[in-house]
Amino acid sequence: RHCTRRWRAKRRSAMGADVLARLPDAALGAVLALLDWDSLERALAASHAVREAVHGGALVRLAAFPDTAWNPGRAARLLAAAPRLRILQIATCATLPEMELARCIRALPLLRHLELHHLELSAGLVLDSLAAARPPLQSLALTGTILASSRALSRLLATLNVAESLVLGGFSELSSVHLGLIATDCLSLEHLTLRQCQQLDLVDFDVLRKSRVRNLVISLCLGPISLACSMPARSLRHLGLHHVDIPTAALLRALSFLQHLCTLELTSFCLEDFVLSNHSCIAALFLHNCSVTLGFALHRLPALRECELACCSGLQSVAVTDCPALVALDLSMQRKLTTLQLSDLPAMKSLNLWGCDKLYQDASSNLIIQGCPLLQVKWQTRPFTHLIF
């Protein structure tokens, strides 16, 4: 009876592997990428067809999460079965030896995307493997990674071989000096994300202009950050600032030099009398959960197509004038908004005023719309009694 049960279990495993083997390579790779490492090893052991497909490149993504058990040589066996692996994600694997991880990285010649989260890399073996990566990685994410010292971080950035995207998170020692190393040594980098870097106190756009960084995102840096910009930065196209402390005047001054910036995203930002005008390239502006005191105004922005101000506490006055390309304006959940002025917006079609209670309940509110022939007001629950066209 015991042998019969074992035979039935093996038969079910083989039948499942045969079903996987009949899938196209893209579908097979997507299914295998969702399996934990135990199930993946069983699938590879049960079917020769699955092994052949994986060895031929069907599996391009592999992830190891905290519950993955690392036996000696286990990672090497799995990665040897998938030599064409392109994406590797490893998170919070305390039992993973750094030497074995470094060996695995060197054994994957086609690896292009690597994510390492909450690992201890104090020996420097993985850093040497990253520096020797040929061809270079397209993207690298290091969050919560423990290095030996600040000098190890400097060595990492000075020898880093990443072609497109770099994410650094949880490095308390990262400062403006390391940001300068990124700008001067990672010349092909286009996307840079910095998270929870508590010692980052200065972002120098004059240094970043030496690089090809097009997208810059800074988030969860709790200390005050200064912005330095005295020359036009032509490469930067997207700027995201989330949960950071930057004075409004410094931000506006930096924007005056970022004349090729197309998208600006601000989250949980404190703004005082935000007035943005005469910017030739900015096409999208997003503000979420920001604290806005005094007013918010946009003037003479010829490329602006979309503006979203959602759940911004304290916002009482909004003025948008002379933005000929603006199509949609979202002012939802601005419960203290009492003054709205829109003029010379010939392309504007959508205005979202859902949740702007004071704008139609307060007798002293002021809503003026002029030069908006295509406009449709959405989500108002009551007719406006003080609407001036």
Side-chain angles (χ1 to χ4, degrees):
R1 183 177 300 176
H2 180 66
C3 293
T4 302
R5 288 176 183 160
R6 290 183 59 185
W7 179 83
R8 288 177 179 175
K10 289 184 178 180
R11 180 60 180 168
R12 285 195 297 267
S13 178
M15 290 175 61
D18 291 339
V19 172
L20 290 176
R22 289 195 292 268
L23 294 174
D25 285 352
L28 175 62
V31 172
L32 294 179
L34 299 175
L35 300 179
D36 59 84
W37 284 38
D38 293 331
S39 301
L40 180 58
E41 283 185 320
R42 287 196 296 268
L44 292 174
S47 173
H48 176 74
V50 171
R51 290 196 299 273
E52 289 294 323
V54 170
H55 192 273
L59 182 62
V60 297
R61 176 182 176 273
L62 189 61
F65 296 107
D67 56 349
T68 303
W70 290 91
N71 300 322
R74 184 183 193 187
R77 291 194 303 272
L78 275 179
L79 296 180
R84 297 179 180 272
L85 198 70
R86 298 176 61 86
I87 304 173
L88 179 61
Q89 300 171 313
I90 299 179
T92 321
C93 295
T95 59
L96 173 61
E98 184 177 353
M99 182 180 297
E100 184 169 352
L101 177 58
R103 190 183 302 117
C104 293
I105 293 175
R106 290 194 298 267
L108 297 173
L110 299 182
L111 186 66
R112 295 296 176 268
H113 306 277
L114 176 63
E115 296 183 16
L116 303 177
H117 307 289
H118 304 284
L119 299 178
E120 183 174 354
L121 308 178
S122 56
L125 300 176
V126 172
L127 305 187
D128 295 337
S129 300
L130 295 178
R134 294 291 185 274
L137 296 171
Q138 290 184 7
S139 68
L140 172 64
L142 299 174
T143 60
T145 303
I146 302 176
L147 302 180
S149 62
S150 178
R151 183 177 300 177
L153 177 60
S154 300
R155 183 169 67 89
L156 167 66
L157 298 177
T159 60
L160 198 57
N161 197 9
V162 179
E164 294 182 6
S165 176
L166 175 62
V167 178
L168 297 176
F171 289 95
S172 58
E173 63 271 16
L174 190 142
S175 64
S176 57
V177 176
H178 299 101
L179 190 60
L181 288 175
I182 295 174
T184 54
D185 295 323
C186 304
L187 297 179
S188 61
L189 196 65
E190 295 187 0
H191 309 274
L192 177 60
T193 300
L194 305 175
R195 300 172 183 160
Q196 294 180 321
C197 301
Q198 306 305 333
Q199 291 191 17
L200 183 64
D201 57 356
L202 174 65
V203 177
D204 194 340
F205 290 104
D206 293 337
V207 174
L208 286 176
R209 67 189 295 270
K210 302 176 184 178
S211 66
R212 295 178 53 191
V213 174
R214 297 169 60 88
N215 300 331
L216 175 62
V217 178
I218 302 175
S219 63
L220 296 171
C221 298
L222 302 181
I225 297 178
S226 302
L227 300 180
C229 192
S230 59
M231 295 177 289
R234 300 182 181 277
S235 62
L236 197 62
R237 296 292 186 272
H238 172 91
L239 178 61
L241 301 173
H242 312 292
H243 303 274
V244 295
D245 183 9
I246 298 176
T248 304
L251 175 61
L252 292 175
R253 185 178 183 277
L255 291 177
S256 66
F257 289 96
L258 303 177
Q259 286 297 323
H260 291 266
L261 189 70
C262 297
T263 305
L264 176 63
E265 294 186 18
L266 304 176
T267 303
S268 297
F269 210 91
C270 294
L271 297 172
E272 295 181 1
D273 197 16
F274 186 88
V275 180
L276 180 61
S277 61
N278 298 315
H279 198 292
S280 59
C281 287
I282 192 164
L285 180 61
F286 304 100
L287 279 75
H288 296 154
N289 298 314
C290 294
S291 176
V292 184
T293 58
L294 300 178
F296 180 91
L298 304 175
H299 303 302
R300 294 183 297 278
L301 303 177
L304 184 65
R305 294 182 54 84
E306 183 180 4
C307 180
E308 182 177 324
L309 287 78
C311 302
C312 295
S313 61
L315 184 61
Q316 299 180 10
S317 173
V318 174
V320 182
T321 61
D322 197 8
C323 299
L326 184 62
V327 175
L329 176 61
D330 187 349
L331 298 175
S332 57
M333 298 302 296
Q334 309 300 337
R335 298 196 180 278
K336 294 185 178 181
L337 183 65
T338 57
T339 302
L340 175 60
Q341 179 181 356
L342 307 176
S343 62
D344 298 325
L345 307 174
M348 188 169 177
K349 298 180 180 180
S350 173
L351 173 62
N352 189 348
L353 295 175
W354 182 81
C356 300
D357 300 334
K358 277 196 173 183
L359 199 59
Y360 56 81
Q361 291 179 354
D362 195 337
S364 62
S365 63
N366 189 14
L367 176 60
I368 301 176
I369 301 178
Q370 298 175 340
C372 307
L374 305 178
L375 178 61
Q376 293 183 357
V377 182
K378 300 191 303 182
W379 299 108
Q380 73 231 41
T381 56
R382 301 183 185 178
F384 290 96
T385 56
H386 348 288
L387 188 59
I388 304 175
F389 285 96

